[in-house]
Amino acid sequence: MNPWLVARAGMAAHRGAYSVFLLLIAVAAAIGVAVSAQEAALRRGSARAADRFDLIVAAPGSQTDVTLAAIYLRPGAVPLMSPADTARALAEPRVKFAAPLGYGDSHQGSPIIGSIAAFVEHLSGGLQSGRMFAAETEAVAGAAVNAALGASFHPAHGAADDDDDDDDAGNAGHHEHSVTLTITGRMKPTGTPWDNAIVIPIESVWRAHQLPTGHADGETRIGPPFAPEKVPGVPAIVMAPRSVSDAYGLRGQWRASSTMAFFPAEALTPIYSLMGGVRDAMTLFALAAQALVVTAILAGVIAILNLHRRQFAVLRALGAPRLYIFACVFTQIAILVIAGALAGLALGAGAAFVLSKIFAMRTGIALRLEIGEGELALVAGFALFGLLASIVPAMLAYRRPPVEALAGR
Amino acid sequence: MDRGSKFHARVGCGAAPELRVENLSVRFADRGKSFTALDIHALEAAPGARLALTGPSGCGKSTLLYVLAGLIRPANGAVRWGGEDIFAMGESARDAWRRRNVGFVFQDFELLPELPALENVLVPATFARFSIGAELRARARSLLDQFGVPARAGPAGFLSRGERQRVALARALLFDPPVLLADEPTASLDAASGAIVIDALARRAREDGRTVIAATHDFALIERMGSRLALEHGRAAAPAEAAP
């Protein structure tokens, strides 16, 4: 028994309607795939971006705000740690390094962050070209910064994204600082917002803002150790503890009345939970949309098959068993459902890919798109539902006596 | 074609069986009311007979054809082909019997207009128990050739009405069935096309020994049938008689 010939003829007879059905199924499947794949990629990408930030110490406040500012370089009103706490944290002995993060300046859309060389090495695993900054007037560019080695510029006051935001806290305009910085090196790609950042010595940031530079007056050295009485406050400090026990010890120690300390995962977990909830809700909407689409299409297919009542009756007259009629109808819808689901998988992956690129352009977080078991299960479930639902019109055709159609009654 | 050939053994078609209808009664329901659509006391046709069913529209000609094909179950009576009551069979056995023994030709051809002529002829093979092989394709081409339709003809929807009915005839004859049932096979055709179909039906019965039963108003076809059963209001107006 091979219903393909008749199924093919049926699909060819209504290729216009079937093409629309196919598109609807594909779009319905694609929505679910895109939502699921995008959320998973976002979760992986954001986790990878936080990998290098072992322990963050900041002034008490929102861990989420500090995480967004320190790791994802999203501008926000993060309070400064006191100079005394900053100096104590930067002199912390149980760390490989304690890196201050100072931001608020930018250059042609790239945020400028003041820190230390050890942090740059830790973040990007070394430079891909040039050398590390060695003076207050030198800078290291992220892998995606559009500036050549040796290029000089004046940093502008104000965060890179201030133009897009309504946040007026600390946004005092975009005047340029008088200091001239020269790019001496370029970091390796990290797949994080830091690829679009320019890192300069923290002393340069402090000096540009008429603050003490962390060293004795007249001293031009950069980097630790800092002179405690010359250290201004910073929004955050990244610590690289020497061991896991040190990490937990430091976290406990710096959770005090004037400071907070946290592992980035602590801030990301509730965000992921929220994202998961949103994904679940979106997936539910997508599944509901898929069910509606399949139901609507089945109604359309039943109407079309009604036009073929006589054709099926004729096939019965020619000797076709009922099961053959069932198979003809089921084959048509199954092809529609499976082809639509596969097209939806491709369409969803394509949509997620485009969204990832847009997201990466806007945030710098590289999203590695993977169509995993979750997305395949989603599409397989959708196809299975479609196939099961296809039994309804197939059974209607199976049960219909041929004589009514043959006799025109 | 030799009825003892390997092809016949493979498709399961045998010699034309004798037809015997006894006390046949078919009832239909219309808007809740039941009525007798067909009431045939007796009808016999010898193997290889040519029988025309005639009578005004609505007299039960098509209904009788569908009953003879096992598509409509009668309220009473028996339809015996080769001594076997086809309504004593289960539905799937009756489908298989019809597949092996009956070829059907319709007034409006009932082809799949999107498929080429050759594939239309091969449609019955798609529900048979064997695949469409070179042998069956060759037979389909040969039948189309016999009826003057090019085997490479495009979609059936683009053929002339006469060509379409000849393709339908080729489809009915694909398995060389011993019984050929035709429902107004010439009613939609012009005289020239009708003559070709009539000639083909008559020749198949006369030369190949098939039983041909045709419901028709076409006097030219009635003339070529060996006998005639006139129906009126579902009853035989007169016993089957030799065609004029």
Side-chain angles (χ1 to χ4, degrees):
Chain A
M1 187 186 292
N2 177 8
W4 169 238
L5 208 59
V6 173
R8 198 182 84 205
M11 288 189 288
H14 301 283
R15 52 187 168 274
Y18 277 20
S19 298
V20 172
F21 292 162
L22 186 76
L23 189 67
L24 283 173
I25 292 173
V27 169
I31 291 171
V33 170
V35 167
S36 175
Q38 189 64 27
E39 190 273 340
L42 191 56
R43 195 182 286 239
R44 285 192 299 270
S46 56
R48 198 175 54 251
D51 264 357
R52 296 279 162 175
F53 294 74
D54 301 343
L55 179 68
I56 296 176
V57 177
S62 161
Q63 292 183 358
T64 303
D65 285 352
V66 174
T67 301
L68 288 175
I71 299 176
Y72 303 111
L73 304 181
R74 307 303 298 168
V78 178
L80 298 180
M81 292 169 66
S82 71
D85 286 334
T86 303
R88 270 198 313 120
L90 291 179
E92 180 60 56
R94 285 182 289 170
V95 298
K96 286 179 271 188
F97 66 81
L101 298 181
Y103 24 72
D105 293 342
S106 62
H107 171 63
Q108 292 183 346
S110 295
I112 295 175
I113 296 97
S115 192
I116 59 173
F119 174 69
V120 175
E121 290 283 350
H122 180 69
L123 186 67
S124 74
L127 302 180
Q128 61 170 298
S129 60
R131 61 169 176 77
M132 185 60 65
F133 49 69
E136 285 183 26
T137 55
E138 294 180 345
V140 167
V145 172
N146 186 23
L149 289 185
S152 295
F153 62 94
H154 297 292
H157 189 73
D161 287 353
D162 275 355
D163 288 346
D164 301 333
D165 296 339
D166 293 325
D167 177 14
D168 57 2
N171 184 2
H174 285 73
H175 70 267
E176 285 188 347
H177 295 293
S178 58
V179 62
T180 301
L181 298 169
T182 302
I183 293 176
T184 60
R186 184 177 298 281
M187 289 189 276
K188 290 178 182 169
T190 62
T192 74
W194 288 76
D195 284 348
N196 193 39
I198 297 171
V199 186
I200 63 175
I202 186 69
E203 292 86 348
S204 184
V205 174
W206 286 331
R207 188 181 298 281
H209 293 86
Q210 288 86 46
L211 296 168
T213 61
H215 302 290
D217 294 341
E219 192 175 346
T220 56
R221 182 177 63 82
I222 60 169
F226 296 100
E229 69 284 2
K230 295 289 186 182
V231 171
V234 293
I237 292 172
V238 179
M239 290 185 179
R242 294 188 187 281
S243 66
V244 173
S245 61
D246 283 344
Y248 280 93
L250 288 166
R251 174 169 162 270
Q253 176 190 325
W254 287 95
R255 284 192 165 182
S257 59
S258 60
T259 57
M260 67 175 179
F262 62 95
F263 302 127
E266 294 177 75
L268 290 176
T269 300
I271 296 175
Y272 288 165
S273 172
L274 181 65
M275 279 167 57
V278 171
R279 181 208 50 199
D280 290 347
M282 294 285 284
T283 304
L284 202 62
F285 284 133
L287 288 175
Q290 288 170 1
L292 284 174
V293 163
V294 168
T295 308
I297 286 171
L298 285 179
V301 168
I302 288 171
I304 285 175
L305 292 175
N306 212 29
L307 302 174
H308 288 273
R309 282 169 60 211
R310 185 165 171 84
Q311 189 183 86
F312 293 138
V314 165
L315 289 170
R316 292 296 312 279
L318 294 175
R322 279 171 183 262
L323 195 59
Y324 179 84
I325 305 300
F326 179 96
C328 286
V329 175
F330 187 78
T331 301
Q332 286 185 45
I333 309 174
I335 288 170
L336 203 61
V337 167
I338 292 171
L342 289 176
L345 188 63
L347 198 64
F353 179 78
V354 171
L355 288 172
S356 296
K357 289 291 172 199
I358 293 171
F359 185 82
M361 276 167 54
R362 290 181 64 89
T363 65
I365 299 177
L367 300 186
R368 284 184 203 150
L369 195 67
E370 288 174 16
I371 298 298
E373 284 178 7
E375 290 73 38
L376 292 177
L378 204 63
V379 171
F382 177 44
L384 185 64
F385 172 71
L387 292 178
L388 288 175
S390 309
I391 292 174
V392 175
M395 277 304 289
L396 288 176
Y398 173 90
R399 292 170 62 89
R400 184 171 287 142
V403 64
E404 288 179 16
L406 285 172
R409 291 190 301 123
Chain B
M1 188 180 241
D2 175 16
R3 288 202 163 274
S5 70
K6 278 185 185 173
F7 176 79
H8 286 95
R10 202 162 155 238
V11 300
C13 291
E18 180 193 36
L19 169 66
R20 190 182 290 270
V21 173
E22 298 159 357
N23 301 318
L24 187 74
S25 169
V26 174
R27 297 186 68 78
F28 287 150
D30 185 22
R31 278 171 272 185
K33 287 188 177 175
S34 175
F35 66 94
T36 301
L38 205 58
D39 191 4
I40 306 283
H41 178 63
L43 173 64
E44 292 182 9
R50 284 166 289 146
L51 175 62
L53 304 177
T54 65
S57 295
C59 70
K61 301 188 296 291
S62 298
T63 301
L64 179 55
L65 281 181
Y66 298 142
V67 173
L68 296 180
L71 287 163
I72 296 177
R73 177 178 281 280
N76 295 301
V79 175
R80 300 183 196 283
W81 283 101
E84 190 171 12
D85 182 358
I86 58 172
F87 290 103
M89 301 175 186
E91 189 176 9
S92 57
R94 201 160 56 246
D95 287 337
W97 169 85
R98 187 163 54 248
R99 203 158 52 238
R100 284 195 306 270
N101 291 282
V102 179
F104 227 114
V105 181
F106 301 89
Q107 177 180 343
D108 291 321
F109 331 124
E110 308 296 351
L111 300 176
L112 297 170
E114 298 79 17
L115 296 184
L118 183 66
E119 290 192 338
N120 263 290
V121 176
L122 288 168
V123 160
T126 64
F127 41 79
R129 285 175 185 268
F130 50 87
S131 58
I132 300 172
E135 183 187 21
L136 214 54
R137 283 188 183 278
R139 174 160 173 77
R141 285 199 186 91
S142 162
L143 285 165
L144 285 173
D145 188 48
Q146 284 175 42
F147 293 129
V149 180
R152 289 173 175 266
F158 292 107
L159 299 177
S160 71
R161 298 181 73 80
E163 284 175 322
R164 275 185 262 176
Q165 191 59 301
R166 281 178 274 154
V167 172
L169 201 51
R171 178 181 65 185
L173 294 171
L174 181 67
F175 293 140
D176 198 22
V179 177
L180 202 52
L181 302 178
D183 189 7
E184 304 280 8
T186 58
S188 298
L189 305 180
D190 59 33
S193 297
I196 295 172
V197 170
I198 290 168
D199 187 55
L201 286 172
R203 202 146 44 83
R204 292 284 149 177
R206 196 176 58 246
E207 295 173 9
D208 297 346
R210 286 187 188 81
T211 298
V212 177
I213 301 176
T216 184
H217 289 104
D218 188 341
F219 204 71
L221 176 57
I222 296 168
E223 273 186 333
R224 299 286 294 272
M225 296 283 105
S227 57
R228 164 185 179 174
L229 175 66
L231 294 175
E232 203 172 300
H233 301 302
R235 290 187 164 82
E241 58 184 25

